[in-house]
RNA sequence: GCGAGAGUGGCGGAGCUGGCAGACGCACCAGACUUAGGAUCUGGCGGGGAAACCCGUGGGGGUUCAAAUCCCCCCUCUCGCACCA
């Protein structure tokens, strides 16, 4: 042990030793329970950033802690290696996406190792490897067989100048990121995964995700967006056809005074004679401020009231949701209200608040509204349904509609099917062929993987680079052996990350995506940790995949992630770290200057993991000082080869012993409860402060001191593993601290003989006195009343009440 | 607008089922050691006041012996969704 703490030498030494002994290599011992600790794998963008450091430090603490608690811990890492930046780099720097990606991986892997993260790299997953993406293709085929993968026309962002498809993030203020041309929409045939088939289960199971943050669950529920209502047909006056609308408020049906169609509705083209005005309206769809519409000149019949009502086309009605047509009830829907006001359409109230019984007898025309009344209430002017309360009316009217054959009860979801086609090179090729005679043909399972060709050029112009590779494009149909051409779209990279956690469960398997028994043992992930930005997409897609794979009989679990921790962002100077703001902290610099242990410690200490972390250079120094302090203590006492004593004792070392046990308790509880490492580290600092100021008097004191120091080092080890191992060795242990069991606290040793009693008078703090811990309530009362200070205050006044809270305080009311 | 979360010293943040507000760290101040200190150590550190004490957890009410914590009203900020019928 060196006299001065030098993080560089210590960390290099232990990283080397850990590697030599393969200490993080997974060992499964049958008698131990399992724990699957997973952090979201990174995109290999080049270098890690502080967000990664924080994310992986949190995960590493949990993994190390669980290992010390006796679990078999699976703690893997890998690379979300497909994606657009690699292709951009190829265009810009003329380097192949593959090379760029692998070089980044090599560098970032070095950085992660340098942080001392306890990964079993044996299970590393790299999604751009054919061995991995082969299984994306295989899952795609399985889904295709079950009708869960299908093709349909859908619009994409299109740059007319580059003649290429753009991802959403490549469209900046409606312009192409490369040439500033105006981006247009273009219809293309694309592949979709039928996630909507699982909408109900994905929604229902949200309520079983007890280990997830409430807000993530809410976001998922909102995203799925279930609503129950009815579809009703409105006959068009003088035509055969009808308009089918969807509503959740069938109780307001009598108040429907017009019908609104989406501009893209098939009937809109037929009903509107002036196609120019319709096109103009289509262009006004992104206008949210002002509602606009075109009257079709046609009328519909309200199926319940029999009223003849106008049919409009409105720019706020969406074709993608429901039936693309709505019944407009301006009295009870603010949007319809605004629209009706603008175009002078009738407003007919049919619901009145329950609290206003006098309104029930009034005629609709006599009720004046300032805005729509959107709440539920009592029906008026609604024929046989008048007088019913909304919930009952909904039920009755729905039944009536079904009985009369006017429509049916329906459930709608906001959730759309997942479009996975990307007109890109650096992704998983979709295993589909187009044969001149057989049409759409799937690639045979035995022919998987469909490998990305290497010999392509990256210009950023024209279609997907894959469409220019004849070797890739031209193939034979497996059915008729005739000429066929390959699908050139690749898969959304969210496909890659939707099942990678399963691939980790078994070591590289050539014949299957993963072994069912291995997945059965490890799944679900016990603790998943990552950024809140994935609250919906990644986490929803992973849940979807898990359910599909369950239905394919590949796994047993219905949900992939039992517990989810969404860590906050790393903030500096009030903003998220970014190059443009110039407030980036470079992890390499940090590690070179202070070491990995200090970097980790600060990230964990500065705030609880789920909250944003405010970066402070000075705060980092505080963490560094703390480690130096611990170093100094061990340096000072390590020569004292005393034995350890942890049992309750009397005498000068008694408070230190108690503090040590208290600290074990606090740190352990923080670990178990909510991973509030900031308070765990704070209490560890308290213990270290107490050790530092302790003055051992005799042999006995040294035993306790030794116990305190060793405990502090053990408790420190998940946070700052290198220095902990070094100090552990310096104290004469031959076995690594990684092998040490997590300490237990002794309740008996925590209990103090004497406690401080707070004395309040009328709820105000007046004095504190030391009393024996086991004093009875009556004795406490007497002791308080006998107190000099108290007597001054009472001074002959009448005692109204005395409240005694044992172990805490006395409140005397006068 | 809807949904979720948060407002505590100069700053990051502690405060368990209502029971000593401000743990721990940073910054700051004073002192010690020192040729020196941006190293280290010791002490102090919410505001007011000489003191006794008083006032303090976004604001205003309330419940209680006792409220940062529970209830009602309001304000501000962050995030997510946003014409989803």
């Amino acid at each position: 042990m060196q006299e001065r703490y030098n993080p560089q030498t210590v960390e290099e030494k232990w990283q080397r030793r850990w590697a030599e002994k393969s200490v993080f290599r997974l060992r499964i011992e049958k008698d131990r329970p399992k724990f699957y600790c997973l952090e979201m794998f990174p995109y290999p963008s080049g270098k890690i950033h502080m967000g990664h450091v924080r994310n992986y430090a949190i995960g590493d603490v949990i993994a190390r802690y669980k290992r010390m608690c006796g679990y078999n811990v699976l703690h893997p890492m890998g690379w979300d290696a497909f994606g657009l930046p690699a292709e951009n780099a190829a265009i810009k720097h003329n380097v192949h996406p593959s090379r760029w990606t692998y070089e980044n991986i090599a560098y970032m892997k070095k950085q992660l190792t340098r942080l001392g993260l306890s990964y079993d790299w044996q299970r590393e997953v790299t999604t751009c490897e054919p061995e991995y993406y082969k299984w994306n293709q295989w899952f795609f085929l399985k889904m295709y067989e079950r009708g869960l993968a299908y093709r349909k026309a859908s619009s994409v962002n299109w740059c007319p100048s580059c003649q290429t498809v753009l991802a959403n993030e490549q469209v900046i203020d409606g312009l192409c990121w490369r040439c500033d041309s105006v981006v247009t929409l273009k219809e293309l045939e694309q592949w979709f995964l039928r996630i909507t088939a699982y909408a109900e289960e994905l929604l229902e199971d949200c309520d079983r995700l007890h280990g997830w943050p409430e807000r993530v669950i809410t976001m998922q529920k909102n995203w799925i967006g279930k609503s129950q209502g009815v579809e009703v047909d409105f006959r068009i006056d003088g035509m055969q056809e009808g308009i089918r609308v969807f509503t959740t408020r069938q109780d307001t049906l009598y108040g429907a005074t017009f019908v609104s169609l989406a501009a893209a509705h098939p009937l809109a083209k037929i009903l509107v004679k002036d196609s120019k005005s319709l096109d103009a309206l289509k262009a006004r769809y992104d206008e949210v401020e002002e509602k606009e519409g075109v009257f079709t000149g046609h009328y519909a019949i309200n199926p319940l009231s029999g009223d003849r009502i106008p049919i409009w086309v409105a720019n706020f009605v969406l074709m993608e949701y429901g039936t693309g047509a709505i019944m407009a009830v301006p009295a009870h829907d603010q949007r319809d209200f605004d629209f009706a006001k603008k175009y002078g359409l009738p407003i007919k109230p049919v619901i009145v608040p329950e609290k206003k019984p006098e309104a029930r007898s009034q005629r609709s025309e006599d009720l004046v509204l300032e805005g729509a009344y959107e709440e539920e209430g009592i029906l008026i002017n609604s024929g046989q349904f008048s007088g019913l309360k909304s919930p009952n009316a909904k039920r009755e009217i729905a039944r009536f509609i079904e009985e009369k054959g006017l429509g049916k009860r329906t459930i709608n979801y906001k959730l759309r099917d997942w479009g996975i086609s990307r007109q890109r090179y650096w992704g998983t090729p979709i295993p589909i062929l187009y044969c001149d005679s057989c049409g759409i043909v799937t690639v045979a399972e035995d022919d998987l993987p469909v490998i990305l060709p290497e010999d392509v050029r990256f210009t950023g112009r024209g279609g997907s680079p894959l469409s220019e590779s004849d070797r890739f494009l031209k193939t034979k149909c497996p059915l008729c052996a005739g000429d066929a051409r390959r699908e050139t779209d690749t898969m959304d990279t969210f496909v890659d990350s939707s099942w990678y956690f399963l691939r980790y469960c078994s070591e590289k398997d050539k014949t299957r995506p993963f072994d069912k028994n291995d997945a059965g043992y490890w799944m679900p992930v016990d603790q998943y940790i990552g950024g809140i930005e994935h609250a919906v997409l990644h986490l929803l897609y992973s849940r979807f995949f898990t359910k599909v794979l369950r239905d394919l009989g590949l796994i047993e679990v219905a949900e992939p992630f039992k517990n989810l921790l969404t860590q906050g962002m790393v903030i500096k100077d009030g903003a998220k770290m970014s190059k443009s703001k110039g407030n980036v902290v470079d992890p390499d610099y940090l590690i070179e200057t202070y070491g990995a242990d200090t970097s980790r410690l600060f990230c964990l200490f500065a705030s609880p993991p789920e909250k944003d972390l405010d970066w402070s250079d000075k705060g980092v120094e505080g963490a560094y000082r703390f480690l130096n302090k611990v170093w100094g203590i061990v340096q000072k006492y390590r020569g004292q080869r005393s034995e350890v004593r942890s049992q309750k004792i009397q005498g000068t070392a008694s408070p230190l012993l108690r503090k040590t046990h208290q600290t074990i308790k606090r740190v352990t509880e923080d670990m178990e409860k909510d991973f509030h490492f900031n308070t765990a580290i704070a209490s560890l600092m308290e213990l270290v402060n107490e050790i530092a100021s302790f003055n051992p008097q005799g042999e006995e004191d040294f035993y306790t001191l030794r116990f305190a120091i060793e405990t502090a080092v053990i408790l420190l080890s998940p946070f700052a593993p290198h220095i902990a191992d070094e100090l552990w060795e310096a104290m004469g242990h031959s076995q690594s601290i990684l092998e040490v069991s997590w300490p237990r606290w002794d309740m008996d040793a925590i209990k103090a003989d004497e406690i401080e009693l707070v004395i309040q008078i009328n709820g105000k703090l007046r004095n504190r006195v030391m009393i024996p811990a086991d004093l009875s309530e009556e004795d406490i009362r007497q002791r308080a009343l006998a107190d000099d200070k108290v007597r001054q205050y009472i001074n002959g006044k009448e005692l109204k009440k005395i409240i005694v809270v044992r172990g805490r305080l006395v409140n005397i009311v006068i």
Side-chain angles (χ1 to χ4, degrees):
Chain A
M1 185 191 189
Q2 294 183 319
E3 198 178 324
R4 273 184 60 90
Y5 170 45
N6 181 333
Q8 306 309 332
T9 38
V10 171
E11 292 176 4
E12 270 167 39
K13 168 180 166 183
W14 287 97
Q15 280 161 17
R16 199 183 325 115
R17 199 172 288 185
W18 292 337
E20 279 163 10
K21 297 192 173 166
S22 305
V23 292
F24 304 130
R25 194 66 215 283
L26 182 66
R27 285 170 310 205
I28 301 180
E29 286 163 29
K30 288 246 158 57
D31 52 331
R32 291 167 175 252
K34 71 98 182 178
F35 192 90
Y36 188 174
C37 179
L38 182 67
E39 299 114 57
M40 291 180 184
F41 63 170
Y43 176 75
S45 55
K47 295 176 98 180
I48 60 166
H49 52 70
M50 287 314 297
H52 292 125
V53 175
R54 188 180 192 200
N55 189 178
Y56 302 144
I58 292 167
D60 201 49
V61 171
I62 297 171
R64 286 174 182 267
Y65 167 72
K66 288 291 177 182
R67 240 178 244 130
M68 292 173 88
C69 289
Y71 289 85
N72 292 322
V73 176
L74 175 55
H75 189 218
M77 184 41 72
W79 311 95
D80 189 10
F82 272 138
L84 200 49
E87 234 169 303
N88 293 340
I91 296 164
K92 212 168 158 190
H93 301 118
N94 196 29
V95 49
H96 194 278
S98 164
R99 195 177 135 202
W100 184 84
T101 302
Y102 281 102
E103 282 175 1
N104 287 348
I105 288 174
Y107 188 79
M108 289 170 76
K109 190 170 175 179
K110 214 177 281 171
Q111 287 184 301
L112 296 185
T113 308
R114 186 62 193 81
L115 276 169
L117 302 169
S118 61
Y119 298 124
D120 178 2
W121 286 104
Q122 208 69 30
R123 288 164 187 259
E124 181 176 4
V125 162
T126 308
T127 60
C128 64
E129 284 173 4
E131 292 155 33
Y132 184 81
Y133 69 69
K134 170 181 180 177
W135 303 109
N136 286 348
Q137 296 170 341
W138 189 76
F139 291 137
F140 178 89
L141 295 182
K142 294 288 150 198
M143 290 194 202
Y144 185 79
E145 278 168 25
R146 306 195 144 217
L148 291 172
Y150 66 96
R151 207 164 97 107
K152 75 167 183 198
S154 174
S155 53
V156 291
N157 300 308
W158 175 258
C159 174
S161 158
C162 301
Q163 289 285 300
T164 195
V165 171
L166 300 176
N168 284 334
E169 58 269 30
Q170 292 175 322
V171 182
I172 297 153
D173 296 327
L175 304 178
C176 173
W177 64 311
R178 293 191 65 219
C179 69
D180 284 341
S181 308
V182 175
V183 174
T184 58
L185 289 181
K186 188 178 179 181
E187 288 267 306
L188 286 181
E189 286 287 320
Q190 302 192 66
W191 289 96
F192 286 81
L193 297 184
R194 207 180 295 281
I195 190 172
T196 53
Y198 286 84
E200 192 57 40
E201 198 191 343
L202 286 167
L203 181 68
E204 265 177 25
D205 286 357
C206 278
D207 293 327
R208 290 205 259 151
L209 300 172
H210 303 295
W212 285 38
E214 195 53 45
R215 62 178 181 143
V216 175
I217 291 173
T218 310
M219 282 164 78
Q220 295 224 343
K221 282 183 178 173
N222 290 344
W223 190 263
I224 296 166
K226 178 181 183 175
S227 54
Q228 304 190 49
V230 293
E231 284 183 2
V232 200
D233 290 320
F234 280 60
R235 208 162 50 72
I236 302 175
D237 196 18
M239 287 179 81
Q240 286 292 355
E241 292 190 73
I243 297 170
R244 174 154 283 214
V245 305
F246 172 72
T247 182
T248 55
R249 290 301 302 273
Q250 59 271 25
D251 53 325
T252 65
L253 228 165
Y254 281 84
T257 53
F258 58 102
V259 168
S260 298
L261 301 176
H265 195 284
L267 277 172
K269 259 202 295 277
I270 298 165
L271 297 180
V272 179
K273 288 171 194 82
D274 176 11
S275 64
K276 267 187 203 155
S277 61
L278 189 60
D279 290 342
L281 195 67
K282 274 185 188 165
R284 302 287 288 162
Y285 256 72
D286 43 5
E287 177 61 63
V288 254
E289 297 299 308
E290 189 70 23
K291 299 193 183 354
E292 289 175 38
V294 175
F295 178 48
T296 61
H298 291 264
Y299 291 83
I301 306 299
N302 182 322
L304 259 53
S305 70
D307 293 344
R308 188 165 174 270
I309 59 178
I311 303 169
W312 283 69
V313 181
N315 73 335
F316 65 94
V317 180
L318 307 171
M319 192 58 221
E320 311 83 68
Y321 186 75
T323 60
I326 59 165
M327 63 175 208
V329 186
H332 305 294
D333 183 292
Q334 190 59 41
R335 296 160 299 183
D336 296 338
F337 185 89
D338 295 343
F339 194 83
K341 279 280 178 198
K342 176 164 178 176
Y343 293 104
L345 296 162
I347 297 169
K348 179 185 172 193
V350 290
I351 307 274
V352 291
E354 266 186 75
K355 287 178 209 138
K356 285 196 190 165
E358 72 281 359
R360 280 178 220 173
S361 53
Q362 284 184 278
R363 300 189 313 158
S364 291
E365 303 82 64
D366 299 335
L367 291 163
V368 183
L369 292 174
E370 309 244 317
Y373 175 72
E374 296 185 318
E375 310 299 307
E376 300 198 323
I378 311 274
L379 273 70
I380 58 165
N381 299 308
S382 297
Q384 64 189 97
F385 304 102
S386 295
L388 290 178
K389 289 184 186 176
S390 290
N392 291 340
K394 278 184 184 173
R395 204 165 46 240
E396 293 300 319
I397 291 176
R399 184 186 301 164
F400 183 83
I401 286 169
E402 287 186 342
E403 275 170 10
K404 299 282 175 188
L406 298 167
K408 58 170 204 269
R409 274 174 258 236
T410 314
I411 290 169
N412 260 309
Y413 299 92
K414 281 198 248 182
L415 183 68
R416 302 271 77 104
D417 277 337
W418 174 13
I420 58 158
S421 281
R422 295 292 179 271
Q423 293 71 36
R424 296 284 147 206
Y425 168 77
W426 195 231
T428 305
I430 294 175
I432 289 288
L433 306 173
Y434 300 98
C435 168
D436 295 340
S437 38
C438 308
I440 297 172
V441 182
T442 53
V443 172
E445 270 186 42
D446 290 345
D447 292 339
L448 296 183
V450 177
I451 295 198
L452 274 178
E454 296 270 327
D455 59 336
V456 291
R457 293 186 311 123
F458 300 93
T459 58
R461 300 174 152 268
S464 159
L466 286 179
S467 60
E468 287 165 20
S469 166
D470 276 356
R471 243 176 26 136
F472 176 80
L473 202 60
K474 290 184 180 164
T475 184
K476 295 291 174 193
C477 172
L479 301 180
C480 71
D483 284 346
R485 115 193 112 75
R486 285 191 191 280
E487 169 66 67
T488 55
D489 283 355
T490 52
M491 295 183 198
D492 179 5
T493 55
F494 276 118
V495 174
D496 310 335
S497 55
S498 289
W499 68 279
Y500 75 109
F501 43 88
L502 289 162
R503 183 72 177 171
Y504 285 138
C505 291
S506 17
E507 283 189 35
K508 314 216 156 93
D509 199 321
K510 291 254 187 244
T511 58
R512 293 161 299 186
F514 51 85
D515 178 85
K516 190 174 177 181
N517 289 328
D518 288 339
Y521 178 72
W522 288 112
M523 288 299 289
V525 172
D526 292 280
Q527 186 63 55
Y528 197 32
I529 309 139
I532 186 73
E533 65 273 19
H534 294 110
V536 181
L537 297 181
H538 162 58
L539 291 168
L540 191 66
Y541 294 147
S542 297
R543 295 182 60 215
F544 164 58
F545 253 71
T546 301
K547 291 177 193 304
V548 172
L549 266 44
R550 174 205 58 196
D551 290 345
L552 289 169
L554 298 171
I555 46 172
E556 303 286 339
V557 291
E559 286 290 337
F561 312 123
K562 192 170 171 206
N563 295 293
L564 174 68
L565 177 62
T566 48
Q567 109 241 10
M569 286 188 305
V570 183
I571 302 286
K572 195 176 178 232
D573 309 325
K576 188 181 174 176
M577 285 187 182
S578 73
K579 272 185 204 150
S580 58
K581 296 231 172 53
N583 60 349
V584 177
V585 175
D586 177 21
D588 283 342
Y589 167 79
L590 200 64
I591 292 169
E592 275 164 33
T593 315
Y594 297 100
D597 283 337
T598 296
S599 308
R600 294 167 55 129
L601 194 71
F602 176 72
C603 282
L604 299 163
F605 176 63
S607 77
E610 72 278 6
K611 287 185 66 174
D612 285 349
L613 185 156
D614 221 333
W615 190 263
S616 153
D617 293 333
K618 289 290 185 181
V620 179
E621 284 184 34
Y624 186 62
R625 268 202 286 272
F626 171 67
L627 292 181
N628 269 292
K629 195 167 188 175
V630 181
W631 184 276
I633 286 168
V634 173
Q635 175 76 11
K636 182 173 170 188
Y637 290 114
R638 72 192 170 111
Q640 301 277 347
R641 292 289 156 99
S642 330
E643 57 187 272
V644 167
R645 174 172 302 166
S646 63
Q647 297 82 29
K648 184 159 186 171
I649 36 140
Q650 300 294 328
T652 47
S654 166
L656 179 61
L657 182 90
R658 190 161 58 243
K659 186 75 180 178
T660 308
H661 281 285
Q662 274 170 351
T663 307
I664 298 171
K665 181 165 182 283
R666 278 210 61 180
V667 173
T668 307
E669 285 173 351
D670 282 338
M671 294 284 198
E672 291 290 338
K673 206 178 69 189
D674 45 15
F675 307 121
H676 279 193
F677 306 127
N678 56 328
T679 48
I681 293 166
S683 57
L684 199 49
M685 285 172 168
E686 283 186 58
L687 174 61
V688 168
N689 288 344
E690 193 150 331
I691 294 170
S693 56
F694 182 67
N695 220 336
Q697 300 298 314
E699 190 77 352
E700 297 275 309
D701 283 0
F702 278 103
Y703 298 158
T704 304
L705 179 63
R706 180 88 184 173
F707 169 63
I709 295 172
E710 292 202 352
T711 301
V713 172
I714 296 169
L715 297 180
L716 178 67
S717 69
F719 309 107
H722 310 86
I723 191 175
D725 236 335
E726 177 71 10
L727 296 177
W728 191 247
E729 186 187 57
M731 282 186 290
H733 297 280
S734 50
Q735 150 214 54
S736 163
I737 201 162
L738 297 163
E739 307 294 322
V740 174
S741 295
W742 191 255
R744 294 163 189 276
W745 69 89
D746 176 358
M747 226 30 225
D748 201 45
I750 288 176
K751 280 188 198 133
D753 297 331
E754 278 205 313
I755 56 150
E756 192 183 64
L757 180 76
V758 166
I759 303 178
Q760 294 182 336
I761 291 170
N762 290 340
K764 290 195 192 298
L765 175 73
R766 291 303 178 208
N767 204 4
R768 309 158 202 251
V769 292
M770 295 307 293
I771 59 161
D774 54 0
L775 216 56
S776 75
E777 210 172 290
E778 183 54 32
D779 288 341
I780 292 174
R781 191 192 307 263
Q782 293 312 324
R783 174 68 190 77
L785 290 172
D787 185 73
D788 283 346
K789 203 112 180 244
V790 171
R791 289 166 69 170
Q792 284 172 31
Y793 272 95
I794 296 175
N795 194 20
K797 292 196 189 95
E798 185 196 352
L799 298 179
K800 289 200 184 118
K801 205 172 187 181
I802 301 178
I803 291 110
V804 178
V805 184
R806 282 199 69 188
R808 282 186 196 275
L809 57 70
V810 175
N811 187 12
I812 301 166
V813 186
I814 55 176

